[in-house]
Structures are given as structure tokens and as C-alpha cells.
Amino acid sequence: MSTEKKMGLELDRRTVLKAGAVAGAAAFLAACGTSGASTEPTESTGGEKAPAAAINFANWTYYIDVDDDVDTATADTSESLRRFQAEYGTRVNYQEVLLDNDEFFGTIKAPLEAGQDTGWDIVTPTTWMAKKIVDLGWAEKFDKANMPNFVANLADEFTGRAADPGNDYLAPWQSLMTGLAVNTEKTTRFTKVSGLWDPKLKGKIVLLTELRDTVGLVMLGNGADPATPTRGTFDAAITTLQDAISSEQVRKLSGQGYTELLISNAAWAAIAWSGDVGIIQAEKAELEFIVPDEGGMYATDNMLIPKGAKNKYTAELWIDFYYQPEIAAIVEAYVQYICPVKGAAEEITKIDPALASNPLIFPDEATKARLKVWGDVSAEDQAYFDEQFSAVVEGVGA
């Protein structure tokens, strides 16, 4: 597939609106039903484990490979999904229904509380939300005997994470950097977070609705450390945001639809995710992703099997299938986020040698050292943070 053609299709997929995605999730769950289900693997009549006929996979938009001339990922339009079906006979019902962690969690909370099947066999929450699900006892523990590729090829940085010390519940899907997107044709290139508040950019700034990304970057701009957030540093960041909103410096806070504003030039700069900018650059070379001088944010979205999933065994097969370097490279060449699979860099050279040295996919250690992960806080503080940030989002529109 040509880079130009591929990128044009990817831009189309980014226009999915949050409301539509959430409605899609509800409709899909209604179709699947959420009645209770066994967590045992599907078995053949001989008592041996056998792959299920289908599994249900909930992911973020724009997060898996698709073919030329299509604008959505399905079992028929994605090479990696086709290969999985060819190997195991399992069709993947792939749904792009995650645009916000909290909103998606709201669609699965009730069945999880009731001990029922959520309708999903794999979901991909960001680490902080994934940890919440694990801590509540609502995630299935992996049977690693079914996952030799995962055990062998998980990148070292993900072993022993605080959210999952034994790598028993979470399999990283992609990681991402949060930094600045700057349209260097419309405005002077800047490398500090404070550049977002330049009066020349009034009404041309878009920020993310993910608290940890937007507040984290604003904290860095204020000289604070989001790895150790406090009410004081959080409140200072909220004040900065409120000032920018009340002055109409900020046009909008958005989920993944923020890219539409950058593409159309309705916004000239943003707090943005690295892979998004990398894709848009193919059609819009003037757009640049910048890790600010003060540093950027770093996060990981993880495959997780919800408690009570009907097809746990087959979900484990899919996770392990993805952890083959060749398959990971196919996905990575399309999504251009940070890959968690050892050996993918070598495999991706067979697709496009330039991608193996793309700093958005394989950032160097110096860049990684400048990235921050939002720190853990008490439940009371996090509830306070959520309440205050929600008020900010509602005040400007999302």
C-alpha cells in the first residue's frame, strides 16, 4: 500500500465522533447480550481446548491495520485479523468503540458488578483504567501456557509494572506520547507548553478530554511533576486551563476527534497523541509533533479480558498471536504508535525500512527519559481531580 493512499484513508477514520462511538458500544452490547457466562475456555467434544467461532474485541479508533480503499477495520478488511482467522478459524468482531476511558467503563460497569458477561472478550483500556478494573477483581488472569509469544516477546519496560507486577492481567497493545502538535505553516514553531497560550493562537487551540494528558502537560508547563501530582499542582494547572478557556484561547476540548480540527486548519496547535500526528503528517507535512522542552506524557493501552468473558481461551490466543513480531509489525506500520513487542523493529523493515527509525514508533532512550507517567494518588484526591477537570470540560464543550 502506498504511504499516501494509506494515510488518506487513516485520516477519514479519525472523524468518528465520540457520541457515535459510545452509541455504537451500547448497540453492540445490546446485540450481544450481557447475560452471565462461563469463564472456561471453549472445548471440543474430546475435552481439548478449541478456538471459539468468534470473539468480540473493543478497541480505540484508528488502532489496527486496514486495507486500501476501506475506512474501517473488520475481520474482512484487516490483514492481521484475516491471518488470525486463517490460523484459528475464529472471526474477530472488531469494534472501534473506545474514545474515552471513563465513558467506555460506564458501558461495562453494570454487568461486571453483577458478575455477568460484558459482551467483550478483549478490551483495551489505558493503564490507569486497566488497573482499576484489575483491582476491582473484574479482569481474567491469563493462562500463560496459552501465550508463549507474549511471555517471550513482551518488551522489557513492561515487565513488573506496578499496575500488573506479574504480567498476569494486562498485555500492552500500544504506547503513546502526549505532546504538542504545531502547524508550522499557520504559526511559528514552538517547543514549550506555554506556546499554546500565545495570543496569536486565540481560538485555534484544541486540548484533549483525557485528564492525565491535558492536565499532565499543563503541569509540566507550570514547572510541576505529573508523576507526583498534588492538589496544589493540580489546582494550579486547572487555573491555567480555566484562564485559557475564559479568554477563548482554547477552541475546544475533544476526544480523538481533535484530529479533524487539525486537518481542517480549524485548530493550529493542540495537545496531541504522537501516532495521530505521525499519520496526519503524510498529507499535512507542516504539522509537527513536539515533545515539549519541559517533557511529555507517556501512556499505554492494554489488552484485558473482562471477568466472565465467554471466550477467554480464544482471547488469549489472539493476544499471543499479536505478540508475534511479524504480526505486530503489520499493525505498527499502520498505527504508528510505540510497539511493545520485541523484534517488531526488525520485522517492520520488511514493510518499510524508514519506519524502523521513526522516532514516533521507536523513540530513543533520551526521548523516553523526558516522558512522564501520571502518578498514583489517593482515591479521594483522584475523585477531586476528576470532578474539577469535568467542570472544565463541560465549560468549554467536548
Side-chain angles (χ1 to χ4, degrees):
M1 159 189 333
S2 72
T3 300
E4 292 79 7
K5 197 168 188 179
K6 180 185 77 170
M7 299 310 175
L9 293 169
E10 288 169 333
L11 297 184
D12 290 342
R13 298 184 64 216
R14 271 303 194 190
T15 62
V16 179
L17 298 177
K18 180 184 292 186
V22 173
F28 183 76
L29 291 172
C32 292
T34 55
S35 58
S38 169
T39 63
E40 294 301 311
T42 305
E43 296 190 358
S44 69
T45 54
E48 297 178 353
K49 293 177 182 177
I55 60 170
N56 300 319
F57 190 156
N59 208 348
W60 300 80
T61 62
Y62 193 31
Y63 228 21
I64 200 169
D65 58 290
V66 298
D67 297 338
D68 276 353
D69 304 321
V70 296
D71 59 3
T72 190
T74 70
D76 301 312
T77 64
S78 165
E79 177 65 14
S80 62
L81 296 180
R82 278 197 299 269
R83 290 195 185 194
F84 181 74
Q85 183 169 348
E87 182 161 343
Y88 292 106
T90 299
R91 187 175 183 83
V92 180
N93 295 322
Y94 185 87
Q95 300 288 321
E96 298 176 333
V97 293
L98 275 84
L99 283 177
D100 180 278
N101 280 288
D102 286 315
E103 286 188 349
F104 181 75
F105 180 67
T107 70
I108 63 174
K109 182 180 179 182
L112 288 170
E113 284 181 324
Q116 298 176 338
D117 172 31
T118 66
W120 304 110
D121 298 302
I122 304 173
V123 299
T124 50
T126 307
T127 300
W128 63 269
M129 177 58 78
K131 182 179 186 300
K132 178 178 180 177
I133 295 170
V134 171
D135 289 348
L136 287 167
W138 293 345
E140 292 285 355
K141 186 175 183 178
F142 295 149
D143 182 347
K144 293 180 188 173
N146 302 323
M147 305 169 70
N149 292 312
F150 172 68
V151 172
N153 297 328
L154 176 65
D156 293 340
E157 69 175 279
F158 297 107
T159 60
R161 290 184 294 169
D164 185 22
N167 301 114
D168 293 320
Y169 297 94
L170 307 180
W173 173 251
Q174 300 286 324
S175 293
L176 56 144
M177 298 181 283
T178 304
L180 304 171
V182 180
N183 186 325
T184 57
E185 188 176 88
K186 294 294 184 180
T187 187
T188 303
R189 183 182 187 273
F190 58 91
T191 61
K192 292 184 179 296
V193 176
S194 60
L196 293 168
W197 320 135
D198 185 337
K200 294 178 181 178
L201 292 174
K202 183 176 180 178
K204 294 294 186 179
I205 300 297
V206 60
L207 308 178
L208 295 167
T209 54
E210 287 283 341
L211 181 156
R212 290 154 183 80
D213 294 302
T214 289
V215 177
L217 216 67
V218 174
M219 276 188 181
L220 286 165
N222 286 349
D225 186 355
T228 55
T230 66
R231 290 203 182 197
T233 58
F234 177 86
D235 287 344
I238 290 296
T239 297
T240 300
L241 285 171
Q242 287 175 330
D243 288 346
I245 290 165
S246 62
S247 68
E248 299 184 344
Q249 181 74 12
V250 173
R251 178 188 180 96
K252 189 174 185 180
L253 269 75
S254 177
Q256 287 196 309
Y258 78 98
T259 54
E260 188 177 354
L261 299 177
L262 291 171
I263 293 163
S264 67
N265 291 330
W268 296 351
I271 289 178
W273 290 314
S274 53
D276 291 349
V277 179
I279 295 300
I280 297 171
Q281 283 173 335
E283 296 291 327
K284 201 173 185 67
E286 66 272 21
L287 191 68
E288 182 179 354
F289 179 80
I290 297 167
V291 177
D293 295 344
E294 304 95 326
M297 298 302 292
Y298 185 70
T300 300
D301 296 322
N302 306 267
M303 291 180 281
L304 175 152
I305 303 174
K307 194 72 173 179
K310 290 183 179 179
N311 303 300
K312 176 179 182 287
Y313 169 64
T314 311
E316 290 168 344
L317 294 182
W318 162 254
I319 293 170
D320 197 60
F321 181 80
Y322 168 76
Y323 269 81
Q324 297 176 89
E326 178 185 0
I327 302 302
I330 290 171
V331 175
E332 200 58 55
Y334 187 93
V335 304
Q336 298 198 33
Y337 279 99
I338 300 171
C339 185
V341 180
K342 290 179 181 177
E346 291 76 14
E347 287 294 328
I348 209 168
T349 61
K350 300 173 184 177
I351 300 171
D352 182 349
L355 293 176
S357 58
N358 185 327
L360 299 184
I361 304 175
F362 303 106
D364 58 29
E365 293 306 313
T367 299
K368 285 186 177 181
R370 299 170 54 219
L371 303 175
K372 298 284 187 176
V373 175
W374 183 269
D376 290 333
V377 297
S378 68
E380 293 78 11
D381 280 351
Q382 191 59 57
Y384 173 79
F385 293 168
D386 291 341
E387 181 181 2
Q388 297 301 311
F389 186 66
S390 292
V392 170
V393 173
E394 291 168 4
V396 72

